[in-house]
Each structure stands twice: as C-alpha cells, then as structure tokens.
C-alpha cells in the first residue's frame, strides 16, 4: 500500500471516531465527585418521594385552583403592553431578521466574526426560547414573518385570507416536518453565515407562500414551527396574554398552569412534543462512541461490507453518505420511538385505573405534562452556549459584517467569554433535570385527577408514569454524563 493510500486509510479510520476524542491534549479533565449510579439512584429516590407527596396531598380541589388567574391591570403593565411598545418590538424583530440575512449574504463567511450565526442560533433559538418560558408568548406579537404578512395585508386587504381552506387532516404535521428539518440543519447542516441566510430567505418565501395559499391565521397556528414551538414553551410561563389587539389582557397565573388549561388537540401535536424530547436526547448521543459503533461496528461489517466490499479506503466516501442517512433516519424515527414508549406507559395507566377512555384520548390528555422535561433537556444541553458564545453578540453588534467596524465601541468587549466551571455545569444540569421531572410528575397527577373517576384511581394510574419519569431522568443524566465518563476535557 502506498503512502497516500495509508494516509487516506488513517484519515478514514480517525473519522470514524467521535470528534471530542481528538481534544485530549488540551485543557483539564473533570471527573464526577461520586459515581454516576449514585446520582441516578438519588434522582430516582427524589422522584419517588415527590410522587408520594403529590399523591397524598394533591386532590381535585388543588387541580382546580391551579387554573385561577389574576388580571394585571396596573398602569405599569398597561404601558408595557401599549400599541406603541408592541410596534417598537415588532420593528426590532423585523430588523433583526433582515440584518441576520444581510450580514450572511454580504459579510464575512466566518461563523465567529459574522453577526448572523450568533444572533440566530444563540440569541434567538436559545435565548428567546428561555425568555419565552419566563415572559410568555412574546413571539405571537413579534414574529417577524407574521409582522411582514400583516403589514402587506393592511395595505392590500385579502392578500393573506387564503385561497384554500387549511386541511384539517394536516393539523400540525407541517410544523413537525419543518421542526425536523430545522433540527437536521442544526445537527448536520454545517451552516455558515451565507448558507444560514439562504435558508432564512427560503423559509421567508415558504411562510409567504403558505400564508397566501392557506391564510395567515391557519398557517401561523399550524405550520410555522417557531410559532408552535414557542407557544408550547410559553404555557410554562406565569404570564398569559388573552384577547385581541385593543382589548388585550395580561394575566398572572401559577407557573406551568398553562399546561393544564388545555390538552393536545391532535396526534401531530403530541408527536411535536415528543420530538422536542427525542431530538435533544439524540443530539446528546449522536457523537458518542456507543452510538457511532452501532453503524461502524454493527451495520457496516454485518450488512454493508458484503455489498460494498472490504476496501474501506475506496468505499469510505460512499459509507459516509450512508452514515448520514442512518443518522437522519434515526433522528426522524426518534419521535415515533418515544411515542411507542409513551403509549405503553399510558396503556398501563389506563389498565390500572380501569378507565373506559380510549388510549389515543389519554395519550393526548397527558401530552403537555412532558413539556417541562423537554424544556429542561434543552436548557441542560445548551445553556452554557449563552455564556460562551451568546455574550459575543455585544461585540458583534458593533461589527455585524465582520469588516472591522466598531459602530457602538464594543468591538473589543468580552474578547474572553465567560465559561462556567465544569462542576457547576454538571450539578446545574442534575438539578434542572430533576426539577423538570418532578414538575412533570405533579402535572401528570393533576391530569390523572381530571381523567379518572376517583383520587385512588388517579394515584394508582400514575405508577407507570412514575416509572416513565424515572426512565427519562436516568436516561437524561446518563446522556449528559457521557462526555465526562469518556474523559473529554474542559478547556480551562
């Protein structure tokens, strides 16, 4: 074998290994202060205690009390929701979208020097999601695509009233498909500033076309996936926005009470919620040695090698394409995999409670109780990016195109991003995971009180759901611990 062939083979074999393994020469390792199994047992025990306390003390009266709201009608809140304030927020949202597109098209194609990557992926996709959980569905007010559609509709009435009625059978499937495409782009698209701008332009055209064809009201309720995603997240907020422009009310409610006010209205929305869970879990395992080995040590030698031959050097480019197909199929299938598990546990709850309600009906009843878990999964996986890369928006706003400008004299600010200590990160992740699952146990019990005839039936029905929450907790902590157990260092 010649030297070039040996080099190509070595490169191919190296590429089969997870990328983080290449970083062992840098930084310092972080080891768990106690074995992982102690964290898993401790989290499971905390869930069990929480379940017993909820089952003993929470009754139907408490469930009804959760739905009470209070109108915030002070001068401060009326001013905060004034038409002029909403107009300013919409203008800023629109400016952010088009600056994001413009900087990608005309600025430097460097992810760390261009405004649009940090603005979109960190400030909007992460930061605005977390803000929504605190302040409610602000996106319904500032959605830049809806802002543009509404502006055109005011000048040309009827432009987005719809040419066809939105098919009821589609429900939330368009939003689910777009959400899956978005996560694929995030995980495998290797976006750069230019490609991100092209994607945003395409998504803008899609929203205009779909709103023109089916009507703005239907599309932005069922099809625009950011609107669907953020509307679900906003149900956890203590703030609720009710009514239409001109007669709006800002209401205060208990945390997470919005998840009890209504249930999932369609099977497609249940799948959307489950994909919120499964996509984050998939992101956590997709580059681990265990997952990579499934394809390269299982599927490849057993199924593919007899078809493509044993010459890894020659077939490696083709195998990489098949590996991407494998990853894509696994990402998409993850929602249905979680659905199968979820249906099994709901079926067990149905049997234990001797309920006559149908299984599909009960799966919709408990769907929103999973949202806190999906949310804390997202936070635990990505919140450090807010500190490390999100803070860079302060300097990037002075030089959005990466051309050496210093518009606001902040270009040299925060050159060294803040990075939390690894021990702080890990224990924050543990507490967040545990908190999210305890909240879901509580919400699931409240839903059971509404779904089943007696408190005893409701409590017994939650035994399978408790097992499901324990499984999700241990799985979540195990996934988060994989980089640490693999010895991946943290730069310091």
């Amino acid at each position: 074998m010649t030297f070039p062939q040996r080099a190509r083979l070595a490169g191919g074999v190296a590429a089969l290994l997870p990328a983080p393994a290449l970083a062992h020469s840098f930084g310092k390792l972080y080891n768990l202060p106690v074995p992982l199994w102690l964290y898993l047992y401790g989290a499971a025990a905390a869930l069990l205690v929480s379940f017993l306390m909820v089952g003993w003390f929470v009754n139907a009266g408490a469930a009804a009390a959760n739905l009470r709201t209070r109108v915030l009608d002070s001068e401060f809140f009326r001013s905060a929701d004034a038409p002029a304030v909403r107009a300013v927020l919409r203008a800023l949202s629109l400016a952010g979208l088009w600056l994001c597109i413009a900087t990608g098209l005309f600025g430097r194609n460097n992810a760390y020097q261009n405004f649009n990557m940090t603005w979109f992926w960190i400030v909007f996709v992460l930061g605005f999601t977390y803000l929504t959980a605190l302040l409610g569905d602000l996106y319904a007010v500032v959605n830049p695509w809806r802002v543009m559609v509404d502006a055109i509709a005011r000048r040309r009435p009827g432009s987005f009233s719809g040419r066809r009625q939105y098919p009821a059978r589609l429900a939330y499937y368009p939003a689910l498909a777009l959400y899956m495409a978005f996560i694929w782009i995030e995980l495998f698209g290797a976006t750069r500033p230019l490609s991100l701008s092209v994607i945003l332009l395409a998504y803008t055209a899609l929203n205009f076309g779909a709103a023109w064809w089916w009507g703005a009201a239907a599309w932005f309720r069922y099809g625009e996936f950011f609107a669907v995603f953020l509307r679900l997240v906003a149900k956890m907020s203590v703030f609720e926005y009710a009514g239409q422009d001109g007669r709006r009310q800002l209401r205060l409610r208990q945390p997470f009470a919005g998840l009890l006010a209504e249930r999932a209205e369609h099977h497609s929305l249940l799948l959307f919620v489950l994909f919120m869970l499964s996509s984050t879990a998939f992101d956590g395992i997709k580059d681990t040695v265990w997952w990579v080995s499934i394809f390269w040590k299982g599927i490849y030698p057993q199924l593919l090698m007899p078809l493509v031959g044993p010459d890894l050097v020659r077939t490696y480019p083709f195998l990489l394409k098949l590996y991407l197909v494998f990853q894509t199929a696994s990402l998409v299938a993850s929602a249905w995999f979680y659905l199968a598990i979820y249906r099994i546990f709901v079926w067990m709850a149905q049997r234990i409670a001797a309920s006559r309600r149908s299984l599909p009906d009960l799966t919709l009843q408990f769907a929103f109780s999973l949202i806190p878990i999906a949310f804390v999964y997202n936070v635990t996986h990505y919140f450090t990016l807010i500190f490390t890369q999100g803070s860079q928006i302060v300097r990037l706003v002075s030089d959005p195109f990466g051309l050496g400008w210093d518009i606001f004299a902040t270009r040299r600010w925060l050159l060294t991003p803040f990075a939390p200590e690894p021990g702080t990160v890990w224990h924050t992740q543990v507490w967040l995971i545990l908190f999210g699952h305890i909240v879901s146990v509580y919400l699931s019990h409240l839903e059971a009180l509404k779904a089943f005839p007696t408190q005893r039936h409701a409590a017994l029905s939650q035994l399978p759901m408790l097992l499901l929450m324990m499984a999700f907790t241990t799985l979540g902590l195990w996934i988060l611990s994989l980089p640490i157990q693999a010895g991946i260092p943290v730069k310091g």
Side-chain angles (χ1 to χ4, degrees), residues 169-314:
R169 66 181 182 277
L170 282 183
Y172 292 92
Y173 284 116
L176 175 63
L178 289 171
Y179 187 23
M180 289 179 169
F182 169 78
I183 296 298
W184 187 93
I185 291 170
E186 178 186 0
L187 300 184
F188 305 115
T191 54
R192 308 290 292 175
L194 178 59
S195 58
L196 175 58
S197 291
V198 172
I199 291 169
L200 288 174
L201 283 173
Y203 189 63
T204 300
L206 172 64
N207 282 325
F208 270 83
W212 174 82
W213 185 253
W214 282 316
W219 177 250
F220 287 104
R221 175 172 176 78
Y222 297 105
E224 205 275 282
F225 82 93
F226 285 122
V228 176
F229 174 79
L230 293 171
R231 189 163 64 245
L232 292 173
V233 171
K235 292 181 182 296
M236 297 186 294
S237 171
V238 296
F239 296 106
E240 177 187 15
Y241 305 90
Q244 302 297 323
D245 287 346
R247 291 181 308 210
R248 289 165 52 89
Q249 283 185 338
L250 179 61
R251 299 174 184 170
L252 186 67
R253 62 190 179 190
Q254 291 188 22
F256 306 100
L259 299 170
L260 299 169
E262 57 183 316
R263 66 176 201 162
E265 61 190 273
H266 194 271
H267 186 76
S268 56
L269 192 57
L270 168 61
L271 277 171
F272 193 101
V273 171
L274 289 169
F275 189 68
M276 291 169 63
L277 269 168
S278 67
S279 60
T280 308
F282 178 79
D283 186 23
I285 67 170
K286 69 178 178 62
D287 291 323
T288 62
V289 173
W290 170 78
W291 179 259
V292 172
S293 298
I294 292 176
F295 182 86
W296 294 105
K297 292 185 178 180
I299 296 175
Y300 166 62
Q302 300 297 325
L303 301 177
L304 298 179
M305 188 179 293
L307 298 176
V308 301
D311 188 348
L312 180 61
V313 173
R314 180 180 60 82

Side-chain angles (χ1 to χ4, degrees), residues 397-420:
V397 74
S398 280
D399 187 21
F401 291 86
L403 301 178
W405 300 350
D406 197 5
I407 300 172
F408 302 105
T410 61
R411 183 167 168 259
R412 297 191 177 278
W413 290 19
L414 300 175
L415 293 177
T416 303
F418 169 70

